[in-house]
């Protein structure tokens, strides 16, 4: 539904998630599941998923990468086998080390960092600011002055997004641009055509081989041979 490249990328990221789960004994995103549980215990609490939709992020990320960057990223995700320990996770909570890791990601895949981290920083900030708007109290009549009370908001975000949210908080944010999906590039169209042609070609060749062998097998059966022999003898009689 979301395209071949987006589907492949999502499968690779699920593989990464499974690797982390296997190494740590717990799945990524546990903080969000815990937030959902806690929100259900608070009367009148509204739980809101405030991140940008995954298909938009994937499509924008894939469109931002060149063909060779896509190959390099896919190769790295396919053969991810580095061991991860709980101590490594604790180290990532240190601000200096986290910033160093983010800087390494920017250096290797700057466009990927922009779409997956920086743009989502803006989106998350926008959604948090929308949730944090003051709540207007109901009025008995139109002549009564408007009264507001502050909202109480608990935002649960990934640690890597905190600096970006702090940096964008006082900015006038517009999210229309980062919600659009750019049209596929010429190289992407060619790759998609070649991939489809290869798949259908292999499928057609496989069907031909299976059909050819099936026909040979059926013809080699004694019952078939006997039936064909009878057919050839019928005109002579």
């Amino acid at each position: 539904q979301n395209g071949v490249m987006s589907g492949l990328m999502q499968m690779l990221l699920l593989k990464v998630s499974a690797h982390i789960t296997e190494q740590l004994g717990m799945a990524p995103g546990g903080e969000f599941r815990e937030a959902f549980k806690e929100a259900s215990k608070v009367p009148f609490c509204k739980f809101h998923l405030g991140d940008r939709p995954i298909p938009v992020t994937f499509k924008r990320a894939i469109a931002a990468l060149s063909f060779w960057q896509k190959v390099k990223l896919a190769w790295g995700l396919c053969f991810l086998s580095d061991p991860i320990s709980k101590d490594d996770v604790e180290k990532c909570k240190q601000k200096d080390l986290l910033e160093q890791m983010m800087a390494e990601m920017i250096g290797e895949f700057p466009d990927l960092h922009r779409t997956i981290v920086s743009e989502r920083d803006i989106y998350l900030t926008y959604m948090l600011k929308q949730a944090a708007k003051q709540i207007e109290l109901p009025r008995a009549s139109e002549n009564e002055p408007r009264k507001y009370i502050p909202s109480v908001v608990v935002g649960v975000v990934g640690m890597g997004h905190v600096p970006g949210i702090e940096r964008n908080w006082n900015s006038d944010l517009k999210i229309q641009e980062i919600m659009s999906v750019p049209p596929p590039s010429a190289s992407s169209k060619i790759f998609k055509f070649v991939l489809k042609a290869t798949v259908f070609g292999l499928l057609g060749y496989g069907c031909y081989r299976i059909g050819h062998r099936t026909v040979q097998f059926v013809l080699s059966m004694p019952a078939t041979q006997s039936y064909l022999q009878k057919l050839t003898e019928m005109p002579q009689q």
Side-chain angles (χ1 to χ4, degrees):
Q1 291 179 352
N2 297 322
V4 176
M5 291 303 297
S6 292
L8 290 174
M9 187 65 68
Q10 191 160 357
M11 287 173 64
L12 289 173
L13 291 176
L14 285 173
K15 179 181 179 296
V16 174
S17 177
H19 173 70
I20 295 172
T21 304
E22 184 181 1
Q23 293 284 318
L24 298 178
M26 56 183 179
E31 66 272 30
F32 305 119
R33 287 186 284 273
E34 195 64 28
F36 178 76
K37 291 178 185 176
E38 293 298 318
S40 64
K41 300 175 186 177
V42 181
F44 308 108
C45 178
K46 293 182 180 179
F47 181 82
H48 182 69
L49 298 171
D51 203 350
R52 185 170 64 177
I54 289 176
V56 176
T57 299
F58 275 172
K59 287 181 179 180
R60 286 186 63 85
I62 291 167
L65 294 174
S66 67
F67 175 77
W68 292 114
Q69 283 180 319
K70 292 173 187 175
V71 172
K72 184 179 179 181
L73 179 64
W75 182 267
L77 293 176
C78 279
F79 296 96
L80 180 72
S81 58
D82 296 336
I84 304 169
S85 66
K86 292 185 179 180
D87 291 336
D88 294 331
V89 177
E90 292 300 321
K91 288 178 184 177
C92 290
K93 294 180 182 179
Q94 300 174 17
K95 187 177 180 182
D96 294 340
L97 182 60
L98 184 65
E99 289 178 352
Q100 180 184 342
M101 291 171 61
M102 299 296 277
E104 289 175 359
M105 181 181 176
I106 294 171
E108 194 167 4
F109 296 103
D111 294 323
L112 192 65
H113 180 274
R114 173 176 55 80
T115 53
I116 291 184
V117 181
S118 300
E119 288 183 0
R120 287 173 60 226
D121 289 345
I122 294 172
Y123 190 91
L124 290 165
T125 307
Y126 178 85
M127 297 303 287
L128 282 169
K129 289 180 74 172
Q130 292 296 311
K133 284 184 175 180
Q134 291 185 326
I135 301 172
E136 182 180 355
L137 294 174
R139 295 183 294 167
S141 65
E142 293 185 1
N143 296 327
E144 186 179 345
R146 297 177 183 272
K147 294 181 181 180
Y148 298 89
I149 58 172
S151 300
V152 178
V153 180
V154 178
V156 181
V157 298
M159 200 185 327
H161 291 291
V162 174
I165 291 173
E166 291 176 346
R167 187 169 54 251
N168 289 306
W169 189 260
N170 293 319
S171 303
D172 183 20
L173 302 174
K174 294 179 175 61
I175 62 171
Q176 289 80 5
E177 183 180 347
I178 62 173
M179 288 299 291
S180 62
V181 178
S185 62
S187 61
S188 177
K189 289 179 180 178
I190 293 170
F191 175 76
K192 192 180 293 186
F193 174 78
V194 171
L195 183 64
K196 285 183 178 179
T198 304
V199 170
F200 283 116
L202 290 173
L203 185 63
Y205 179 73
C207 291
Y208 165 76
R209 294 290 297 175
I210 292 171
H212 184 67
R213 289 184 179 181
T214 302
V215 170
Q216 285 184 329
F217 175 74
V218 171
L219 291 175
S220 65
M221 292 175 65
T224 308
Q225 297 258 341
S226 175
Y227 180 72
L228 290 173
Q229 187 175 1
K230 289 180 179 179
L231 285 177
T232 56
E233 291 175 352
M234 283 178 64
Q236 296 176 0
Q237 293 174 356

